[in-house]
């Protein structure tokens, strides 16, 4: 979409979401992605930022789900990309400030230390110490938030002090999605994994108590399928709060806080066209936060494998193609290629980043399933959560956070077990 005149504010298409349609609750989804702002002023600021006289044309890029971006061309041919967050992206000041400081920090970090970001950016404590204070939330310039500066990051196993940056309110989308932005909840930095995960539980409790339930698709609300139940969700979260400390791993290598980009897909990764092996930039640091390593999906989005977790890390055998049609051959080779790329990634991870591979192993456990489902209990999760809680009873004594003489804190009657199983079965039909 290209415009070449001075009154940019007169074009409504700049402010609307025009990329696609929504099958569920379209009016609300469009409203949350429409924002009115002074585009004339933004064009003037863009020109001033590079010392240009004026902006002479604007191209609106295809809408993102959380932001609008524009290519602004100046009278001398130079170009500026401008980005404006939609209402669903979070609190505008904190959202943009955190993204800008995080992007700057990553750039500075790359010049200061090893480029292995996933293995070297735990903020707030040394990776080798089990007694240090964790700090979990979002990253800012110290001047932009009312929190103490002087945090430190880890470089080659050593703590490096840095007074330019500080940890401030959480901007992760799970703290703002589905109306959570209006909740009166703590978004401050948390000093331990237990504090952080307890705060997640409290957030979901308040969302269930005070927000309108999100609309479900017909798939989840058929007459014989599971119907979301607020009281069951609150019960599940009350039980979660009681066991959260027991299900957190005691291996600090996977609970230490890390700054992590968890949206690595093709649109966010830029490569050198003359040398595709060389990454020239990574964008969209807006939702990035500092959280325990177990909070993150270790698999980049470009690993497009949606099959079962491989039982071993041996490469899959080449499929037999002789009796297949051309379309079947193509599909079989695609699955073979994608699966082995995924297995190759896991092998590389195990060899080069064993901490992250231990996260992969932890994500296979019932304890992780309970943590994962609690994060989105407002939208979904209580049938599977309660089913996993029943399973947890058999492994309770083996959990790292359980003192040997403390019994499993819940009792399930036969009626409870039948109801939980029925709800779980209905939710997966």
């Amino acid at each position: 979409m290209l415009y070449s005149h001075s009154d940019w504010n007169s074009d409504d298409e700049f402010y609307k979401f025009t990329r696609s349609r929504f099958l569920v609750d379209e009016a609300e989804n469009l409203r949350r992605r429409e924002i009115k702002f002074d585009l004339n002023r933004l064009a003037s600021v863009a020109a001033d930022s590079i010392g240009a006289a004026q902006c002479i044309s604007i191209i609106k890029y295809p809408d993102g789900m959380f932001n609008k971006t524009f290519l602004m061309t100046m009278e001398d041919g130079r170009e500026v990309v401008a980005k404006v967050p939609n209402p669903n992206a979070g609190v505008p000041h904190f959202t943009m400030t955190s993204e800008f400081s995080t992007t700057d920090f990553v750039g500075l970090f790359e010049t200061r230390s090893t480029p292995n970001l996933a293995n070297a950016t735990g903020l707030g404590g040394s990776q080798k110490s089990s007694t240090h204070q964790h700090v979990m939330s979002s990253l800012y310039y110290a001047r932009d938030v009312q929190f103490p500066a002087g945090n430190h990051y880890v470089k080659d196993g050593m703590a490096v002090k840095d007074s330019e940056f500080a940890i401030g309110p959480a901007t992760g989308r799970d703290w703002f999605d589905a109306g959570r932005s209006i909740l009166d909840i703590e978004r401050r930095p948390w000093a331990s994994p237990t504090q952080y995960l307890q705060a997640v539980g409290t957030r979901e409790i308040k969302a269930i108590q005070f927000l309108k339930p999100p609309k479900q698709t017909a798939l989840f609300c058929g007459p014989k399928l599971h119907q979301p139940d607020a009281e069951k969700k609150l019960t599940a979260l009350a039980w979660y709060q009681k066991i959260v400390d027991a299900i957190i791993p005691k291996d600090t290598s996977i609970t230490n806080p890390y700054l992590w980009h968890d949206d690595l897909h093709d649109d966010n990764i830029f490569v050198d066209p003359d040398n595709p092996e060389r990454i020239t930039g990574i964008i969209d640091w807006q939702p990035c936060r500092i959280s325990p390593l177990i909070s993150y999906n270790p698999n980049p989005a470009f690993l497009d494998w949606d099959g079962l977790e491989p039982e071993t890390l041996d490469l899959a055998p080449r499929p037999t193609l002789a009796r297949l049609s051309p379309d079947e051959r193509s599909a079989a080779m695609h699955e073979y290629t994608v699966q082995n790329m995924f297995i190759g990634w896991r092998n590389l991870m195990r060899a080069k980043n064993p901490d992250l591979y231990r996260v992969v192993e932890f994500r296979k456990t019932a304890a992780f399933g309970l943590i994962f489902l609690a994060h989105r209990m407002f939208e979904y999760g209580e049938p599977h959560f309660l089913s996993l809680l029943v399973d947890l009873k058999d492994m309770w004594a083996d959990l790292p956070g359980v003192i040997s003489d403390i019994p499993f804190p819940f009792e399930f009657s036969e009626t409870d077990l039948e109801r939980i199983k029925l709800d779980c079965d209905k939710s997966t039909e």
Side-chain angles (χ1 to χ4, degrees), residues 142 158 239-240 366:
M158 301 295 291
W239 290 351
Y240 165 79

Side-chain angles (χ1 to χ4, degrees), residues 109-386:
F109 186 87
E110 290 294 320
T111 65
R112 294 172 178 174
S113 61
T114 171
N116 188 348
L117 190 62
N119 202 30
T121 59
L123 277 131
S126 164
Q127 293 179 348
K128 296 184 179 299
S129 170
S130 60
T131 60
H132 65 273
Q133 288 293 307
H134 294 65
V135 179
M136 299 160 207
S137 197
S138 296
L139 185 66
Y140 298 85
Y141 290 119
R143 64 177 181 267
D144 291 329
V145 292
Q146 300 300 314
F147 288 89
N151 293 287
H152 58 277
Y153 59 89
V154 174
K155 172 186 174 182
D156 300 327
M158 301 295 291
V160 179
K161 291 287 184 180
D162 196 324
S163 60
E164 184 178 0
F165 299 95
I167 313 300
T171 61
R173 292 199 176 114
D174 55 334
W175 293 88
F176 296 93
D177 286 350
R180 290 179 179 87
S181 59
I182 67 171
L183 294 175
D184 182 17
I185 53 177
E186 288 186 348
R187 294 182 174 86
R188 61 177 176 82
W190 298 279
S192 72
T194 298
Q195 282 189 11
Y196 168 70
L197 294 178
Q198 289 280 11
V200 168
T202 301
R203 178 194 73 200
E204 295 302 281
I205 288 171
K206 290 195 174 183
I208 294 164
Q209 291 174 332
F210 298 109
L211 298 180
K212 180 181 178 181
K215 285 188 177 180
Q216 304 288 329
T217 65
L219 175 66
F220 298 112
C221 283
K224 293 185 179 180
L225 299 183
H226 172 71
Q227 304 295 316
D229 186 287
E231 288 304 316
K232 291 179 182 178
K233 289 177 184 288
L234 291 172
T235 296
L237 286 167
W239 290 351
Y240 165 79
Q241 299 280 38
K242 291 182 179 180
I243 64 167
V244 66
D245 195 49
I247 60 179
I248 296 173
K250 300 311 171 188
D251 179 359
T252 57
S253 68
I254 65 174
T255 58
N256 275 347
Y258 281 70
L259 175 64
W260 188 273
H261 194 305
D262 55 1
D263 196 21
L264 289 178
H265 54 74
D266 296 350
D267 291 341
N268 288 338
I269 302 172
F270 293 82
V271 299
D272 185 339
D274 298 321
N275 180 15
E277 294 182 358
R278 178 175 175 266
I279 295 176
T280 59
I282 296 176
I283 63 170
D284 197 11
W285 294 87
Q286 185 181 88
C288 297
R289 76 277 188 199
I290 300 160
S291 297
L293 193 57
I294 58 172
S295 300
Y296 302 117
N297 182 349
N299 303 316
F302 59 75
L303 291 173
D304 191 25
W305 172 249
D306 58 1
L308 296 175
E309 184 74 23
E311 294 182 3
T312 73
L313 294 185
D314 297 330
L315 294 179
R318 184 181 178 87
T320 301
L321 306 176
R323 297 184 179 182
L324 300 180
S325 69
D327 287 346
E328 289 171 335
R329 290 181 183 181
S330 177
M333 286 304 299
H334 175 75
E335 181 176 358
Y336 163 77
T337 302
V338 172
Q339 182 178 6
N340 277 338
M341 184 180 296
F342 182 83
I343 293 172
W345 163 256
R346 285 290 171 81
N347 276 303
L348 181 66
M349 182 195 301
R350 182 174 63 175
K352 299 291 186 180
N353 198 331
D355 289 350
L356 197 58
Y357 189 74
R358 283 193 286 274
V359 171
V360 170
E361 294 298 300
F362 175 68
R363 290 172 70 90
K364 299 176 184 177
T365 67
F368 171 77
L370 293 166
I371 292 172
F372 174 80
L373 292 171
H375 271 71
R376 292 288 185 170
M377 191 68 73
F378 177 49
E379 290 98 337
Y380 56 80
E382 77 275 11
H384 294 288
F385 181 95
L386 294 173

Side-chain angles (χ1 to χ4, degrees), residues 404-422:
S404 59
D405 60 347
I406 296 180
F408 186 66
F410 313 114
E411 288 292 335
F412 300 106
S413 68
E414 287 300 320
T415 301
D416 292 333
L417 295 175
E418 290 177 6
R419 176 182 53 78
I420 290 170
K421 184 179 185 307
L422 182 62

